Amino acid sequence: MDNIISVRGLVKRYGRREVVAGIDLQVRRGEIFALLGPNGAGKTTTVEILEGFRRRTAGEVSVLGNDPDTAGGAWRDRVGVVLQESQPEPGLSVRECLALYAGFYRAPRDIDETIALVGLTGKAGALGTRLSGGQRRRLDFALALIGDPELIFLDEPTTGFDPSARRAAWEVVAGLRRLGKTIFLTTHYLDEAEHLADRITVLSAGHVVAEGTPRTLGGRDRMATAISFTLPAHVQAHDLPPGLGTLTGPGPGGSTVLHSESPLAHLRMLGDWALSRGLDLPDLDVRRPALEEVYLSLTAPASTKDQR
Amino acid sequence: MINMALRLSGYDLRAFLRNRQSQFFTLALPVLFLVIFASVLGGSGHTTQVAGGQISTSVYYVPGIIALGIIAACFGNLVASVTAQRERGVLKRRRATPVPAAAVIAGRALTAVVNAVAMAAVLLAIGWAAYGARVPGRTALALAVTVAAGAVSFCCLGYAITSLIRDEDAALPATMALMLPLYFISGVFVPVAAMPHWLADAGEIFPVRHLANALLVAYNPHTTGLGFAGLDLLIVAAWGAAGLLIALRTFSWLPLGR
């Protein structure tokens, strides 16, 4: 597998406080990888180590075949960075900012084309400091892209955005995917990771607590499906066929909930049983666990522990 | 590297020319100080004792205010803008690109030096037009070298100070608080001859006094020879070198304030 980023046993300590507690990560060429976790999980520390801004306490890190701690200008030429917080260059217009940054790289992209790619064509002549929050973030994207990098780091790119600005930022990221860029994204928004990422690693209190695709994260694909229904008054739960009775429990509003790991077979048993008795189950509902529930169950215990 | 520094300096200069606050403190304030001090204390017929004779007090103020102009551009303005760039994440984002660190640092310093030289030219022009003071041809080189050496040294001191300031809003007041008393005891606002000895001696410790003195030596029409104030220049350069050493050890690309 063609790994763009490879991390083994990464540890970062500040004094006695362990912010990153030995994590492993692999990011493949051309994918959007999300590092998901609550605030204080160690996401920004991790991404800043990968960007070469912070030194690690222990572990092996390789980004584009180099150690970011010692890599030089030739390596930075291949990497684009959108910082969590950075304001525009004071006193320069959007186009001037991009012209300045284009001069830093060996083979920059076309300036106007890059402005168009992030949707700032109408603002090309405006001072960066006069842009709205969402527009500033587009300028950040453009500055990260202007060197035509292979790999782009996005550290919480939509934190504090209203829903429409977030959608717009997501569209820009989707555009980067079409350019074939590898993207390393950190976020504490589950829907952002689910919407954008090919693979997600969940970080909580400095530990990797889960990894997978949005479909398989946390064993979501193998988790019990909740089948709920309300039995008529004259039928009791213990009247259900033996294979089902042991899986059921009381649900809200007098309903019955059946936690099934093989929902198709169990639905068939339930249906055959009900039809043979002439019963109808009008509020029958079959629900897969939402990613949000999976995420909360993964991060909740650790993050409550983390609170001081 | 040099190309990149020149390029950055061009953009820094463009940003400077769009910032009214920087322009006021760096360009307008020195002119204002010269006009006020020369008018209030210079008046008609007032003279000041300098090496080799008497000069009009108005003329005396020109080199002192040039020192102030150099310090405003290379210390005050540089500290304020570099601190703001650092706290706003601008330096960090530049650091994430392949641009060499030295080009970013030298580029901003070059902008300050260009401002200082422009300021010195404006003040010299005012001194010539309003107070009839001409720079003797034989000391012109010394004056140019002194302006450049002072500018570079105060840039180094400016970079040293930025690491001590964590809040961009504190940068301008902090540099002002540091420099205003020094202007008073260094012969910039009040001629040294008019000061008590202990105060004049205290001023001797700091680079402001020596920069002002070196400029005065090169500007003074009574000066014989080339007008290089060797010892003063050496002390200014030593302060600059100390600043550079501190800056190299403490300079930060990442915001310090959070």
Side-chain angles (χ1 to χ4, degrees), chain A residues 3-24:
Chain A
N3 280 334
I4 290 269
I5 298 176
S6 171
V7 173
R8 284 166 150 276
L10 178 64
V11 174
K12 177 69 183 181
R13 273 190 289 269
Y14 292 107
R16 289 174 58 198
R17 196 162 56 97
E18 198 164 53
V19 180
V20 179
I23 64 171
D24 296 347

Side-chain angles (χ1 to χ4, degrees), chain A:
Chain A
M1 207 35 96
D2 190 4
N3 280 334
I4 290 269
I5 298 176
S6 171
V7 173
R8 284 166 150 276
L10 178 64
V11 174
K12 177 69 183 181
R13 273 190 289 269
Y14 292 107
R16 289 174 58 198
R17 196 162 56 97
E18 198 164 53
V19 180
V20 179
I23 64 171
D24 296 347
L25 298 172
Q26 310 288 329
V27 179
R28 297 168 201 143
R29 183 176 295 279
E31 75 175 348
I32 299 185
F33 176 91
L35 190 59
L36 172 69
N39 289 329
K43 302 186 298 292
T44 293
T45 303
T46 302
V47 76
E48 291 200 338
I49 289 169
L50 300 182
E51 291 164 351
F53 281 122
R54 295 188 191 278
R55 316 194 94 163
R56 58 191 184 268
T57 308
E60 288 167 37
V61 175
S62 165
V63 177
L64 295 170
N66 287 273
D67 180 344
D69 196 27
T70 54
W75 177 78
R76 298 210 167 274
D77 209 78
R78 301 163 64 197
V79 178
V81 171
V82 173
L83 299 171
Q84 194 178 125
E85 277 180 74
S86 60
Q87 292 177 39
E89 294 275 339
L92 298 183
S93 72
V94 169
R95 186 180 281 111
E96 286 168 342
C97 261
L98 283 160
L100 172 64
Y101 276 62
F104 298 158
Y105 294 90
R106 268 182 302 193
R109 293 172 51 85
D110 181 77
I111 290 168
D112 287 318
E113 188 196 315
T114 307
I115 292 174
L117 184 73
V118 300
L120 277 180
T121 303
K123 290 282 174 184
L127 284 183
T129 45
R130 296 267 167 85
L131 300 178
S132 72
Q135 290 166 340
R136 286 182 181 200
R137 186 76 336 169
R138 288 159 181 260
L139 176 55
D140 287 337
F141 280 129
L143 290 173
L145 263 176
I146 192 70
D148 204 16
E150 294 164 51
L151 167 66
I152 300 172
F153 290 103
L154 306 175
D155 192 6
E156 300 198 4
T158 66
T159 295
F161 280 21
D162 63 50
S164 73
R166 291 183 71 201
R167 284 278 161 189
W170 288 357
E171 274 165 32
V172 174
V173 176
L176 302 186
R177 182 207 292 274
R178 283 192 291 276
L179 294 175
K181 308 296 184 192
T182 306
I183 294 170
F184 187 104
L185 165 83
T186 77
T187 183
H188 59 252
Y189 295 122
L190 177 79
D191 57 338
E192 184 159 285
E194 186 176 19
H195 188 89
L196 292 175
D198 299 307
R199 286 194 309 124
I200 300 173
T201 287
V202 180
L203 201 62
S204 182
H207 294 273
V208 171
V209 292
E211 44 197 343
T213 68
R215 288 187 162 280
T216 65
L217 191 71
R220 184 188 178 204
D221 52 332
R222 298 182 309 276
M223 275 190 170
T225 296
I227 302 170
S228 67
F229 48 88
T230 305
L231 291 171
H234 62 279
V235 185
Q236 305 298 318
H238 61 247
D239 297 329
L240 285 166
L244 297 182
T246 52
L247 299 171
T248 58
S255 66
T256 302
V257 181
L258 193 164
H259 293 282
S260 166
E261 290 181 359
S262 37
L264 198 58
H266 289 154
L267 269 174
R268 181 175 180 169
M269 282 169 73
L270 181 69
D272 288 349
W273 171 81
L275 288 173
S276 71
R277 295 177 169 229
L279 299 175
D280 198 6
L281 301 172
D283 64 346
L284 179 71
D285 182 56
V286 180
R287 204 162 54 87
R288 303 263 303 109
L291 187 52
E292 188 172 3
E293 292 163 29
V294 178
Y295 173 64
L296 290 175
S297 71
L298 286 170
T299 57
S303 59
T304 18
K305 217 173 21 190
D306 191 38
Q307 275 164 13
R308 279 148 294 167

Side-chain angles (χ1 to χ4, degrees), chain A residues 48 53-54 73 76-77 81 83 85-93 96 99-101 103-105 127 140 143, chain B residues 4 7-8 11-12 14-15 18 85 87-90 92-99 104 168 253-255 258:
Chain A
E48 291 200 338
F53 281 122
R54 295 188 191 278
R76 298 210 167 274
D77 209 78
V81 171
L83 299 171
E85 277 180 74
S86 60
Q87 292 177 39
E89 294 275 339
L92 298 183
S93 72
E96 286 168 342
L100 172 64
Y101 276 62
F104 298 158
Y105 294 90
L127 284 183
D140 287 337
L143 290 173
Chain B
M4 206 75 94
R7 205 186 146 74
L8 272 157
Y11 281 93
D12 282 342
R14 205 182 300 197
R18 289 175 186 163
Q85 285 185 336
E87 293 308 311
R88 295 173 188 177
V90 172
K92 186 176 180 180
R93 187 176 47 214
R94 285 186 178 184
R95 195 74 195 98
T97 75
V99 71
V104 175
E168 58 170 294
W253 296 89
L254 309 191
R258 25 188 155 82

Side-chain angles (χ1 to χ4, degrees), chain B residues 1 18 23 44 50 54 84 104 116 152 198 223:
Chain B
M1 201 318 263
R18 289 175 186 163
Q23 279 176 29
S44 56
V50 294
Q54 299 273 326
V104 175
V152 171
W198 64 270
T223 296

